Amino acid sequence: MIKLKIVGLGVSLPDKILTNSDLEKMVDTSDQWIIERTGIKERRIAESKTACSDLVIDATKQALQHAGLKASDLDTLIVGTSTPDTIFPSTACWVQKGLGISGSAAFDISAGCTGFLYAMEIASNLIATGKSKKVLVAGVEILSKITNYEDRSTCVLFGDGAGVCILVPTEEDRGIMSSNWGADGNLAELLYMPAGGSRIPATCESVEKKLHCLHMAGNEVFKNAVREMEGAAFTALKDANLTADDIDLFIPHQANIRIIDATIKRANIPSEKTSITIDKYGNMSAATIPVALYEAYHEGKIKDNSKILFAAFGAGFTWAAMILKW
Ligand code: ACO
């Protein structure tokens, strides 16, 4: 099996910041409640005309420069998102158009907040088998466009952004050391957007009832998130014959600081080895892991041969974990 190397990283974060004090003016909430219950201080919000592909294109230009590659070098584009530009074609195809390229394979992955790790799993297997040689993997969301800003239990949580990486084959001793993924569709209705698909197509009534917004049973999501992220991380460590002590950096999905704290406590991962971005960006779903990876890299937290553990949980429910040797 062919190993892989990450040669390019990029992010795109909208300039507009929505703070907790802004939210205090919109719904019955407080800065103190949001920080204590979630760890979030502010989040980024995309302009009304911006779509997910715009953010991915911006981040990809940065990653291509980092990698010393041209857009036309990419042979596979995979975008993890739950807020695609359009139901069809895929956001990945809009990215292709924006980059001015054609011919490469391009498709989206819908796995909620686990979208980036699902996309990485597919990308790493495409590289391992020799099918793909230069793969763009993106995690992107514009959750502000499906958030009900009259619902205090959800509107304080989410933000917009994109993170991408470029994967290439390598003969060096690095790449994916272990990975696992899973899902339980029986729990789908605990976190979903009811309308806009073939079950409930758009009507005046569906819009009035806010069925095109995210609906969530927060407490249930919380319990499942802790259990499955810890379980997936534990399995990844076991499969790689490693313990939590061997890990140099843990990059969990950023949904709630209490979910992260509970996960690292149960998995015995020291907090100083854990990447935290939730305070600045909130929950950007599929984008949180690649954005945290980019920040950790540029803060000098990732060295040659660093072992990085990723874990995520999201709508579906879906979950995944992966250990990457940098
Ligand atoms: N401001 C003030 N009060 C609020 C707010 C708010 N923004 N939101 C809810 N409350 C109130 C509730 O109405 C409730 O009041 P009541 O006791 O009078 O009925 C009280 O606070 C407690 O509500 P809970 O829902 O029990 O609060 P909890 O401590 O569980 O926190 C939260 C809610 C933050 C949503 C938490 O359950 C959570 O983070 N769940 C995970 C969900 C998540 O992150 N989903 C994202 C997508 S999935 C993923 O990425 C993992």
Side-chain angles (χ1 to χ4, degrees), residues 16-88:
K16 188 174 162 192
I17 294 174
L18 181 68
T19 63
N20 290 350
S21 65
D22 295 330
L23 283 160
E24 282 175 346
K25 294 175 199 124
M26 295 158 68
V27 287
D28 180 15
T29 191
S30 68
D31 178 48
Q32 190 192 355
W33 191 96
I34 300 171
I35 291 177
E36 279 178 13
R37 298 293 182 109
T38 71
I40 303 168
K41 293 181 182 157
E42 57 187 44
R43 61 295 281 147
R44 302 299 178 97
I45 303 293
E47 295 297 329
S48 60
K49 283 187 184 153
T50 302
C52 278
S53 66
D54 300 322
L55 300 183
V56 175
I57 291 161
D58 188 30
T60 302
K61 288 179 179 166
Q62 207 182 346
L64 286 167
Q65 198 171 8
H66 181 195
L69 294 171
K70 303 187 293 298
S72 57
D73 294 327
L74 299 169
D75 58 32
T76 311
L77 278 63
I78 312 177
V79 176
T81 188
S82 297
T83 49
D85 288 29
T86 48
I87 289 187
F88 68 88

Side-chain angles (χ1 to χ4, degrees), residues 293-311:
L293 175 65
Y294 175 94
E295 296 211 339
Y297 177 80
H298 285 284
E299 285 163 8
K301 291 182 182 160
I302 301 176
K303 310 259 181 309
D304 204 27
N305 291 327
S306 285
K307 294 188 193 76
I308 308 168
L309 169 65
F310 302 95

Side-chain angles (χ1 to χ4, degrees), residues 15-298:
D15 292 334
K16 188 174 162 192
I17 294 174
L18 181 68
T19 63
N20 290 350
S21 65
D22 295 330
L23 283 160
E24 282 175 346
K25 294 175 199 124
M26 295 158 68
V27 287
D28 180 15
T29 191
S30 68
D31 178 48
Q32 190 192 355
W33 191 96
I34 300 171
I35 291 177
E36 279 178 13
R37 298 293 182 109
T38 71
I40 303 168
K41 293 181 182 157
E42 57 187 44
R43 61 295 281 147
R44 302 299 178 97
I45 303 293
E47 295 297 329
S48 60
K49 283 187 184 153
T50 302
C52 278
S53 66
D54 300 322
L55 300 183
V56 175
I57 291 161
D58 188 30
T60 302
K61 288 179 179 166
Q62 207 182 346
L64 286 167
Q65 198 171 8
H66 181 195
L69 294 171
K70 303 187 293 298
S72 57
D73 294 327
L74 299 169
D75 58 32
T76 311
L77 278 63
I78 312 177
V79 176
T81 188
S82 297
T83 49
D85 288 29
T86 48
I87 289 187
F88 68 88
S90 66
T91 303
C93 284
W94 292 116
V95 170
Q96 227 180 10
K97 180 176 189 241
L99 291 173
I101 55 171
S102 63
S104 45
F107 58 96
D108 289 359
I109 296 295
S110 171
C113 306
T114 317
F116 179 77
L117 288 189
Y118 264 51
M120 282 289 286
E121 179 70 49
I122 293 164
S124 64
N125 281 283
L126 290 171
I127 287 189
T129 55
K131 180 85 180 164
S132 299
K133 296 200 167 47
K134 294 200 173 54
V135 186
L136 177 79
V137 180
V140 59
E141 293 311 340
I142 300 191
L143 289 163
S144 61
K145 295 201 185 177
I146 61 159
T147 295
N148 176 2
Y149 284 99
E150 290 169 3
D151 173 10
R152 69 177 182 174
S153 70
T154 54
C155 74
V156 301
L157 301 173
F158 301 107
D160 304 335
V164 309
C165 62
I166 296 173
L167 313 181
V168 301
T170 182
E171 289 178 2
E172 296 159 18
D173 177 26
R174 60 181 85 238
I176 309 300
M177 300 180 73
S178 70
S179 64
N180 63 81
W181 59 358
D184 185 354
N186 295 297
L187 302 175
E189 287 169 5
L190 295 176
L191 173 56
Y192 77 133
M193 189 171 91
S198 56
R199 181 72 63 196
I200 308 176
T203 59
C204 293
E205 194 191 356
S206 69
V207 173
E208 260 166 40
K209 288 184 171 169
K210 306 258 187 222
L211 299 180
H212 298 271
C213 290
L214 180 151
H215 290 239
M216 179 179 73
N219 276 316
E220 289 305 314
V221 176
F222 192 102
K223 280 185 273 181
N224 280 278
V226 174
R227 188 174 64 241
E228 301 299 352
M229 277 184 26
E230 189 250 334
F234 180 77
T235 302
L237 287 168
K238 185 166 66 67
D239 291 349
N241 281 322
L242 297 174
T243 67
D245 289 343
D246 300 317
I247 293 301
D248 298 298
L249 186 64
F250 177 45
I251 303 187
H253 169 52
Q254 314 275 319
N256 183 320
I257 193 68
R258 292 186 297 135
I259 293 178
I260 297 173
D261 285 345
T263 304
I264 62 174
K265 198 170 160 205
R266 288 167 67 155
N268 268 329
I269 297 167
S271 56
E272 59 276 14
K273 287 186 179 178
T274 304
S275 279
I276 304 293
T277 60
I278 180 118
D279 52 330
K280 294 183 289 185
Y281 306 128
N283 182 351
M284 299 180 288
S285 186
T288 69
I289 287 182
V291 168
L293 175 65
Y294 175 94
E295 296 211 339
Y297 177 80
H298 285 284

